[in-house]
DNA sequence: GTTACTGTTGATAACTGTTATCATTATCTG
DNA sequence: CAGATAATGATAACAGTTATCAACAGTAAC
């Protein structure tokens, strides 16, 4: 199972960094991979609090940051809103269509666009490292 | 001159909205169009303060918002940093290459990418309204 | 299991950028 | 000029994020 492999990756990361595998980390990890994608710190915090009322907001935040550092999660910053996080393990790069009515995120990939982006960068003597493409509009359900 | 036309647009906008043409608005307007592009509220505030020490931060902020509403400026939100503003009058849509070393913004347009974005949206039964493409990397001068 | 070391937690304060509040001032219209 | 009211500037409030710190807990050595 991919989630078990992901847990191994986290455990290895903790070991090689001299970090500890706490009860809270396990809880946050499991919750993150079972909750909705593109979740906020607040969202995950509330999700966890239902079964773990003692959890601290800062702990959730810190461990989402840790998951990003270990390569298991990605930060998504849309506009000026709260930072969102999505599982990354075993998933390819993708971009997002974002519905301005319901807030839904649709994940998309387009190899042609990716290649043209690289050409565009090259034409400007620019070495691309990462990119962000967000298309805002109205989703099928909101038309 | 394009900046004079822009001033007319602002004056018309103020008139039709029942707003007033204050001394500060003139100062902020002139400063905005003569300062660097992609400037922050703080940047413009400091720029103006040199010759107009009495100017208020909130006034600069409010008037940048007003310029956006009148169609003369655009907001740019990059990552989690401060909002930036750029003059819009007489300029086409463009995207940005952003140097992660020096922070430089390179303005780019690519019609092919734009069209593929529309196709991508259509393929997802999504009506695109606006989009944001940011490519982060190393600029020529920072290689 | 006990101990010692030190990373982690949870509560909360501090911080940052943005926006609201409000008394005072300035603009505009008649 | 006078009256109505929009705008300003100082500052408070706000939201999201991050730092602080005393109490706690994971880990490894004994
Ligand atoms: Mn996604
Ligand atoms: Mn630009
Ligand atoms: Zn929708
Ligand atoms: Zn550079």
């Amino acid at each position: 199972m991919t989630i078990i492999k992901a847990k191994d990756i986290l455990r290895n990361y903790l070991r090689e960094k001299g970090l500890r595998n706490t009860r809270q980390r396990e809880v946050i990890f499991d919750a993150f991979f079972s909750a909705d994608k593109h979740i906020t710190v607040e969202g995950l915090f509330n999700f966890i609090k239902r079964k773990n009322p003692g959890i601290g907001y800062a702990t959730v935040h810190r461990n989402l940051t840790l998951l990003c550092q270990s390569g298991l999660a990605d930060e998504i910053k849309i506009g000026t809103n709260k930072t969102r996080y999505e599982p990354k393990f075993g998933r390819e790069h993708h971009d997002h269509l974002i519905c301005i009515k319901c807030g839904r995120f649709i994940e998309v990939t387009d190899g042609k666009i990716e290649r043209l982006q690289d050409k565009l960068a090259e034409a400007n003597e620019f070495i691309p490292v990462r990119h962000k493409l967000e298309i805002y509009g109205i989703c099928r359900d909101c038309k």
Side-chain angles (χ1 to χ4, degrees), chain A residues 13 21 29 38 40 44 49 53 59-60 65 68 70 83 115 128 130 132:
Chain A
Y13 180 82
N21 192 18
F29 176 95
H38 312 120
T40 61
L44 189 58
K49 241 191 344 190
T59 302
V60 175
T65 302
C68 291
S70 75
T83 304
R115 282 190 291 279
R130 63 178 193 279
K132 179 154 96 172

Side-chain angles (χ1 to χ4, degrees), chain A residues 16 18 24 59 63 98 121 125:
Chain A
E16 76 189 20
Q24 290 91 333
T59 302
N63 280 288
I98 300 143
E125 300 174 76

Side-chain angles (χ1 to χ4, degrees), chain A residues 14-99:
Chain A
L14 294 177
R15 198 168 306 126
E16 76 189 20
K17 295 281 178 185
L19 304 176
R20 293 169 183 173
N21 192 18
T22 65
R23 197 165 20 84
Q24 290 91 333
R25 282 220 236 269
E26 293 273 343
V27 169
I28 291 166
F29 176 95
D30 291 340
F32 179 60
F33 281 94
S34 67
D36 289 339
K37 278 195 293 197
H38 312 120
I39 200 165
T40 61
V41 178
E42 194 186 16
L44 189 58
F45 173 64
N46 289 327
F47 181 74
I48 293 173
K49 241 191 344 190
R50 297 205 297 252
K51 299 203 167 178
N52 277 74
I55 196 81
Y57 187 92
T59 302
V60 175
H61 183 278
R62 275 187 297 240
N63 280 288
L64 280 171
T65 302
L66 182 83
L67 284 173
C68 291
Q69 286 162 353
S70 75
L72 292 171
D74 253 348
E75 263 189 17
I76 308 175
K77 306 208 178 198
I78 299 282
T80 198
N81 301 322
K82 303 184 190 181
T83 304
R84 291 173 179 275
Y85 297 84
E86 67 178 355
K88 187 184 182 184
F89 177 68
R91 309 184 66 228
E92 309 234 328
H93 162 78
H94 61 267
D95 293 302
H96 296 104
L97 312 184
I98 300 143
C99 179

Side-chain angles (χ1 to χ4, degrees), chain A residues 99-104 137-142:
Chain A
C99 179
I100 54 182
K101 285 200 177 172
C102 70
R104 187 151 78 100
I138 315 290
C139 83
R140 186 182 52 194
D141 300 341
C142 291

